[in-house]
PDB file of all heavy atoms in Angstrom:
ATOM      1  N   ILE A   1       4.105  -2.582   4.725  1.00 89.00           N
ATOM      2  CA  ILE A   1       5.400  -1.888   4.740  1.00 89.00           C
ATOM      3  C   ILE A   1       5.206  -0.379   4.646  1.00 89.00           C
ATOM      4  O   ILE A   1       5.853   0.386   5.353  1.00 89.00           O
ATOM      5  CB  ILE A   1       6.319  -2.406   3.616  1.00 89.00           C
ATOM      6  CG1 ILE A   1       6.769  -3.828   3.941  1.00 89.00           C
ATOM      7  CG2 ILE A   1       7.522  -1.498   3.416  1.00 89.00           C
ATOM      8  CD1 ILE A   1       7.522  -4.522   2.826  1.00 89.00           C
ATOM      9  N   SER A   2       4.296   0.054   3.784  1.00 90.00           N
ATOM     10  CA  SER A   2       4.025   1.487   3.653  1.00 90.00           C
ATOM     11  C   SER A   2       3.513   2.069   4.968  1.00 90.00           C
ATOM     12  O   SER A   2       3.944   3.150   5.387  1.00 90.00           O
ATOM     13  CB  SER A   2       3.015   1.736   2.541  1.00 90.00           C
ATOM     14  OG  SER A   2       2.667   3.093   2.483  1.00 90.00           O
ATOM     15  N   ALA A   3       2.615   1.348   5.618  1.00 90.00           N
ATOM     16  CA  ALA A   3       2.066   1.827   6.890  1.00 90.00           C
ATOM     17  C   ALA A   3       3.145   1.891   7.969  1.00 90.00           C
ATOM     18  O   ALA A   3       3.162   2.818   8.785  1.00 90.00           O
ATOM     19  CB  ALA A   3       0.920   0.935   7.343  1.00 90.00           C
ATOM     20  N   GLN A   4       4.041   0.918   7.980  1.00 85.00           N
ATOM     21  CA  GLN A   4       5.069   0.856   9.021  1.00 85.00           C
ATOM     22  C   GLN A   4       6.208   1.840   8.802  1.00 85.00           C
ATOM     23  O   GLN A   4       6.811   2.326   9.760  1.00 85.00           O
ATOM     24  CB  GLN A   4       5.639  -0.565   9.111  1.00 85.00           C
ATOM     25  CG  GLN A   4       4.628  -1.617   9.523  1.00 85.00           C
ATOM     26  CD  GLN A   4       3.975  -1.308  10.852  1.00 85.00           C
ATOM     27  OE1 GLN A   4       4.644  -1.013  11.834  1.00 85.00           O
ATOM     28  NE2 GLN A   4       2.653  -1.364  10.893  1.00 85.00           N
ATOM     29  N   THR A   5       6.526   2.129   7.529  1.00 86.00           N
ATOM     30  CA  THR A   5       7.687   2.979   7.222  1.00 86.00           C
ATOM     31  C   THR A   5       7.317   4.397   6.818  1.00 86.00           C
ATOM     32  O   THR A   5       8.198   5.245   6.696  1.00 86.00           O
ATOM     33  CB  THR A   5       8.512   2.357   6.081  1.00 86.00           C
ATOM     34  OG1 THR A   5       7.699   2.310   4.898  1.00 86.00           O
ATOM     35  CG2 THR A   5       9.018   0.972   6.449  1.00 86.00           C
ATOM     36  N   SER A   6       6.038   4.653   6.546  1.00 86.00           N
ATOM     37  CA  SER A   6       5.563   5.950   6.037  1.00 86.00           C
ATOM     38  C   SER A   6       6.175   6.308   4.689  1.00 86.00           C
ATOM     39  O   SER A   6       6.235   7.478   4.319  1.00 86.00           O
ATOM     40  CB  SER A   6       5.843   7.068   7.042  1.00 86.00           C
ATOM     41  OG  SER A   6       5.146   6.827   8.238  1.00 86.00           O
ATOM     42  N   VAL A   7       6.631   5.316   3.951  1.00 88.00           N
ATOM     43  CA  VAL A   7       7.163   5.539   2.610  1.00 88.00           C
ATOM     44  C   VAL A   7       6.046   5.263   1.605  1.00 88.00           C
ATOM     45  O   VAL A   7       5.441   4.187   1.637  1.00 88.00           O
ATOM     46  CB  VAL A   7       8.371   4.607   2.326  1.00 88.00           C
ATOM     47  CG1 VAL A   7       8.810   4.718   0.872  1.00 88.00           C
ATOM     48  CG2 VAL A   7       9.528   4.940   3.249  1.00 88.00           C
ATOM     49  N   PRO A   8       5.767   6.222   0.718  1.00 92.00           N
ATOM     50  CA  PRO A   8       4.747   5.975  -0.307  1.00 92.00           C
ATOM     51  C   PRO A   8       5.198   4.863  -1.255  1.00 92.00           C
ATOM     52  O   PRO A   8       6.344   4.829  -1.688  1.00 92.00           O
ATOM     53  CB  PRO A   8       4.650   7.301  -1.066  1.00 92.00           C
ATOM     54  CG  PRO A   8       5.284   8.307  -0.178  1.00 92.00           C
ATOM     55  CD  PRO A   8       6.296   7.576   0.644  1.00 92.00           C
ATOM     56  N   ILE A   9       4.281   3.941  -1.548  1.00 91.00           N
ATOM     57  CA  ILE A   9       4.554   2.843  -2.475  1.00 91.00           C
ATOM     58  C   ILE A   9       3.456   2.841  -3.526  1.00 91.00           C
ATOM     59  O   ILE A   9       2.272   2.956  -3.208  1.00 91.00           O
ATOM     60  CB  ILE A   9       4.595   1.486  -1.749  1.00 91.00           C
ATOM     61  CG1 ILE A   9       5.702   1.467  -0.691  1.00 91.00           C
ATOM     62  CG2 ILE A   9       4.798   0.344  -2.751  1.00 91.00           C
ATOM     63  CD1 ILE A   9       5.765   0.193   0.140  1.00 91.00           C
ATOM     64  N   ILE A  10       3.861   2.725  -4.787  1.00 91.00           N
ATOM     65  CA  ILE A  10       2.915   2.657  -5.896  1.00 91.00           C
ATOM     66  C   ILE A  10       3.040   1.275  -6.528  1.00 91.00           C
ATOM     67  O   ILE A  10       4.114   0.893  -6.982  1.00 91.00           O
ATOM     68  CB  ILE A  10       3.193   3.741  -6.958  1.00 91.00           C
ATOM     69  CG1 ILE A  10       3.104   5.127  -6.325  1.00 91.00           C
ATOM     70  CG2 ILE A  10       2.236   3.605  -8.131  1.00 91.00           C
ATOM     71  CD1 ILE A  10       3.544   6.254  -7.230  1.00 91.00           C
ATOM     72  N   GLY A  11       1.959   0.505  -6.534  1.00 89.00           N
ATOM     73  CA  GLY A  11       1.914  -0.801  -7.185  1.00 89.00           C
ATOM     74  C   GLY A  11       1.350  -0.648  -8.574  1.00 89.00           C
ATOM     75  O   GLY A  11       0.244  -0.148  -8.738  1.00 89.00           O
ATOM     76  N   VAL A  12       2.121  -1.050  -9.595  1.00 84.00           N
ATOM     77  CA  VAL A  12       1.705  -0.780 -10.967  1.00 84.00           C
ATOM     78  C   VAL A  12       1.320  -2.010 -11.779  1.00 84.00           C
ATOM     79  O   VAL A  12       0.769  -1.873 -12.864  1.00 84.00           O
ATOM     80  CB  VAL A  12       2.791   0.011 -11.741  1.00 84.00           C
ATOM     81  CG1 VAL A  12       2.985   1.376 -11.134  1.00 84.00           C
ATOM     82  CG2 VAL A  12       4.110  -0.747 -11.793  1.00 84.00           C
ATOM     83  N   ASN A  13       1.619  -3.204 -11.295  1.00 81.00           N
ATOM     84  CA  ASN A  13       1.301  -4.386 -12.097  1.00 81.00           C
ATOM     85  C   ASN A  13       1.316  -5.620 -11.212  1.00 81.00           C
ATOM     86  O   ASN A  13       1.924  -5.636 -10.155  1.00 81.00           O
ATOM     87  CB  ASN A  13       2.325  -4.547 -13.227  1.00 81.00           C
ATOM     88  CG  ASN A  13       1.921  -5.600 -14.232  1.00 81.00           C
ATOM     89  OD1 ASN A  13       0.748  -5.782 -14.510  1.00 81.00           O
ATOM     90  ND2 ASN A  13       2.891  -6.307 -14.772  1.00 81.00           N
ATOM     91  N   GLY A  14       0.655  -6.666 -11.667  1.00 83.00           N
ATOM     92  CA  GLY A  14       0.689  -7.946 -10.975  1.00 83.00           C
ATOM     93  C   GLY A  14      -0.019  -7.897  -9.639  1.00 83.00           C
ATOM     94  O   GLY A  14      -0.993  -7.177  -9.441  1.00 83.00           O
ATOM     95  N   GLY A  15       0.506  -8.662  -8.689  1.00 84.00           N
ATOM     96  CA  GLY A  15      -0.094  -8.751  -7.366  1.00 84.00           C
ATOM     97  C   GLY A  15      -0.088  -7.435  -6.630  1.00 84.00           C
ATOM     98  O   GLY A  15      -0.973  -7.163  -5.821  1.00 84.00           O
ATOM     99  N   SER A  16       0.891  -6.587  -6.907  1.00 86.00           N
ATOM    100  CA  SER A  16       0.954  -5.299  -6.214  1.00 86.00           C
ATOM    101  C   SER A  16      -0.163  -4.355  -6.635  1.00 86.00           C
ATOM    102  O   SER A  16      -0.470  -3.403  -5.938  1.00 86.00           O
ATOM    103  CB  SER A  16       2.313  -4.634  -6.439  1.00 86.00           C
ATOM    104  OG  SER A  16       2.490  -4.291  -7.802  1.00 86.00           O
ATOM    105  N   ALA A  17      -0.779  -4.619  -7.783  1.00 85.00           N
ATOM    106  CA  ALA A  17      -1.850  -3.747  -8.278  1.00 85.00           C
ATOM    107  C   ALA A  17      -3.242  -4.316  -8.009  1.00 85.00           C
ATOM    108  O   ALA A  17      -4.236  -3.699  -8.379  1.00 85.00           O
ATOM    109  CB  ALA A  17      -1.669  -3.494  -9.773  1.00 85.00           C
ATOM    110  N   ILE A  18      -3.322  -5.479  -7.363  1.00 82.00           N
ATOM    111  CA  ILE A  18      -4.635  -6.019  -7.002  1.00 82.00           C
ATOM    112  C   ILE A  18      -5.196  -5.131  -5.900  1.00 82.00           C
ATOM    113  O   ILE A  18      -4.613  -4.996  -4.836  1.00 82.00           O
ATOM    114  CB  ILE A  18      -4.526  -7.486  -6.544  1.00 82.00           C
ATOM    115  CG1 ILE A  18      -4.095  -8.371  -7.717  1.00 82.00           C
ATOM    116  CG2 ILE A  18      -5.856  -7.966  -5.975  1.00 82.00           C
ATOM    117  CD1 ILE A  18      -3.862  -9.815  -7.351  1.00 82.00           C
ATOM    118  N   VAL A  19      -6.311  -4.511  -6.160  1.00 79.00           N
ATOM    119  CA  VAL A  19      -6.835  -3.470  -5.291  1.00 79.00           C
ATOM    120  C   VAL A  19      -7.278  -4.038  -3.943  1.00 79.00           C
ATOM    121  O   VAL A  19      -8.056  -4.980  -3.880  1.00 79.00           O
ATOM    122  CB  VAL A  19      -7.995  -2.723  -5.969  1.00 79.00           C
ATOM    123  CG1 VAL A  19      -8.570  -1.672  -5.050  1.00 79.00           C
ATOM    124  CG2 VAL A  19      -7.520  -2.097  -7.279  1.00 79.00           C
ATOM    125  N   LEU A  20      -6.742  -3.443  -2.880  1.00 79.00           N
ATOM    126  CA  LEU A  20      -7.100  -3.808  -1.506  1.00 79.00           C
ATOM    127  C   LEU A  20      -8.028  -2.756  -0.921  1.00 79.00           C
ATOM    128  O   LEU A  20      -7.796  -1.573  -1.088  1.00 79.00           O
ATOM    129  CB  LEU A  20      -5.861  -3.809  -0.617  1.00 79.00           C
ATOM    130  CG  LEU A  20      -4.777  -4.833  -0.847  1.00 79.00           C
ATOM    131  CD1 LEU A  20      -3.629  -4.570   0.124  1.00 79.00           C
ATOM    132  CD2 LEU A  20      -5.301  -6.220  -0.635  1.00 79.00           C
ATOM    133  N   THR A  21      -9.038  -3.200  -0.247  1.00 77.00           N
ATOM    134  CA  THR A  21      -9.858  -2.291   0.542  1.00 77.00           C
ATOM    135  C   THR A  21     -10.255  -3.017   1.806  1.00 77.00           C
ATOM    136  O   THR A  21     -10.682  -4.163   1.725  1.00 77.00           O
ATOM    137  CB  THR A  21     -11.125  -1.853  -0.216  1.00 77.00           C
ATOM    138  OG1 THR A  21     -11.813  -3.004  -0.668  1.00 77.00           O
ATOM    139  CG2 THR A  21     -10.806  -0.963  -1.384  1.00 77.00           C
ATOM    140  N   PRO A  22     -10.136  -2.461   2.935  1.00 82.00           N
ATOM    141  CA  PRO A  22      -9.489  -1.175   3.211  1.00 82.00           C
ATOM    142  C   PRO A  22      -7.979  -1.354   3.355  1.00 82.00           C
ATOM    143  O   PRO A  22      -7.484  -2.462   3.486  1.00 82.00           O
ATOM    144  CB  PRO A  22     -10.109  -0.765   4.545  1.00 82.00           C
ATOM    145  CG  PRO A  22     -10.383  -2.070   5.234  1.00 82.00           C
ATOM    146  CD  PRO A  22     -10.742  -3.056   4.126  1.00 82.00           C
ATOM    147  N   LYS A  23      -7.282  -0.235   3.378  1.00 86.00           N
ATOM    148  CA  LYS A  23      -5.837  -0.228   3.558  1.00 86.00           C
ATOM    149  C   LYS A  23      -5.505  -0.137   5.043  1.00 86.00           C
ATOM    150  O   LYS A  23      -6.330   0.224   5.866  1.00 86.00           O
ATOM    151  CB  LYS A  23      -5.223   0.980   2.832  1.00 86.00           C
ATOM    152  CG  LYS A  23      -5.519   1.047   1.341  1.00 86.00           C
ATOM    153  CD  LYS A  23      -4.412   0.441   0.559  1.00 86.00           C
ATOM    154  CE  LYS A  23      -4.436   0.744  -0.919  1.00 86.00           C
ATOM    155  NZ  LYS A  23      -5.521   0.235  -1.676  1.00 86.00           N
ATOM    156  N   GLU A  24      -4.243  -0.466   5.354  1.00 88.00           N
ATOM    157  CA  GLU A  24      -3.750  -0.328   6.733  1.00 88.00           C
ATOM    158  C   GLU A  24      -3.818   1.142   7.137  1.00 88.00           C
ATOM    159  O   GLU A  24      -3.610   2.034   6.312  1.00 88.00           O
ATOM    160  CB  GLU A  24      -2.283  -0.772   6.831  1.00 88.00           C
ATOM    161  CG  GLU A  24      -2.048  -2.247   6.685  1.00 88.00           C
ATOM    162  CD  GLU A  24      -2.279  -2.999   7.971  1.00 88.00           C
ATOM    163  OE1 GLU A  24      -2.124  -2.426   9.065  1.00 88.00           O
ATOM    164  OE2 GLU A  24      -2.624  -4.186   7.879  1.00 88.00           O
ATOM    165  N   LYS A  25      -4.068   1.402   8.413  1.00 91.00           N
ATOM    166  CA  LYS A  25      -4.071   2.770   8.912  1.00 91.00           C
ATOM    167  C   LYS A  25      -2.675   3.363   8.742  1.00 91.00           C
ATOM    168  O   LYS A  25      -1.681   2.748   9.121  1.00 91.00           O
ATOM    169  CB  LYS A  25      -4.475   2.788  10.382  1.00 91.00           C
ATOM    170  CG  LYS A  25      -4.597   4.173  10.932  1.00 91.00           C
ATOM    171  CD  LYS A  25      -5.112   4.179  12.347  1.00 91.00           C
ATOM    172  CE  LYS A  25      -5.144   5.629  12.784  1.00 91.00           C
ATOM    173  NZ  LYS A  25      -5.995   5.861  13.885  1.00 91.00           N
ATOM    174  N   GLY A  26      -2.588   4.543   8.158  1.00 90.00           N
ATOM    175  CA  GLY A  26      -1.308   5.215   7.943  1.00 90.00           C
ATOM    176  C   GLY A  26      -0.612   4.825   6.662  1.00 90.00           C
ATOM    177  O   GLY A  26       0.465   5.323   6.344  1.00 90.00           O
ATOM    178  N   SER A  27      -1.215   3.932   5.885  1.00 91.00           N
ATOM    179  CA  SER A  27      -0.606   3.483   4.633  1.00 91.00           C
ATOM    180  C   SER A  27      -0.686   4.571   3.567  1.00 91.00           C
ATOM    181  O   SER A  27      -1.680   5.279   3.456  1.00 91.00           O
ATOM    182  CB  SER A  27      -1.331   2.236   4.130  1.00 91.00           C
ATOM    183  OG  SER A  27      -0.888   1.887   2.838  1.00 91.00           O
ATOM    184  N   THR A  28       0.377   4.676   2.792  1.00 90.00           N
ATOM    185  CA  THR A  28       0.379   5.541   1.608  1.00 90.00           C
ATOM    186  C   THR A  28       0.686   4.668   0.399  1.00 90.00           C
ATOM    187  O   THR A  28       1.582   4.928  -0.378  1.00 90.00           O
ATOM    188  CB  THR A  28       1.393   6.687   1.743  1.00 90.00           C
ATOM    189  OG1 THR A  28       2.670   6.143   2.073  1.00 90.00           O
ATOM    190  CG2 THR A  28       0.964   7.688   2.795  1.00 90.00           C
ATOM    191  N   PHE A  29      -0.070   3.599   0.285  1.00 90.00           N
ATOM    192  CA  PHE A  29       0.097   2.614  -0.780  1.00 90.00           C
ATOM    193  C   PHE A  29      -0.943   2.892  -1.857  1.00 90.00           C
ATOM    194  O   PHE A  29      -2.145   2.762  -1.628  1.00 90.00           O
ATOM    195  CB  PHE A  29      -0.060   1.212  -0.201  1.00 90.00           C
ATOM    196  CG  PHE A  29       0.091   0.088  -1.187  1.00 90.00           C
ATOM    197  CD1 PHE A  29       1.023   0.128  -2.197  1.00 90.00           C
ATOM    198  CD2 PHE A  29      -0.711  -1.041  -1.077  1.00 90.00           C
ATOM    199  CE1 PHE A  29       1.167  -0.921  -3.089  1.00 90.00           C
ATOM    200  CE2 PHE A  29      -0.577  -2.098  -1.949  1.00 90.00           C
ATOM    201  CZ  PHE A  29       0.366  -2.039  -2.960  1.00 90.00           C
TER     202      PHE A  29
END
């Protein structure tokens, strides 16, 4: 969603904070 919308998203807990590598191109997650 961050990559598609260019909206910065911050994941702070739970599944959203499980570290992904690499990120989608253009993501600001």
Side-chain angles (χ1 to χ4, degrees):
I1 290 172
S2 175
Q4 297 303 311
T5 63
S6 298
V7 173
I9 299 176
I10 301 172
V12 295
N13 190 34
S16 66
I18 294 176
V19 178
L20 293 177
T21 53
K23 302 265 194 295
E24 289 278 333
K25 184 175 178 160
S27 172
T28 53
F29 180 38

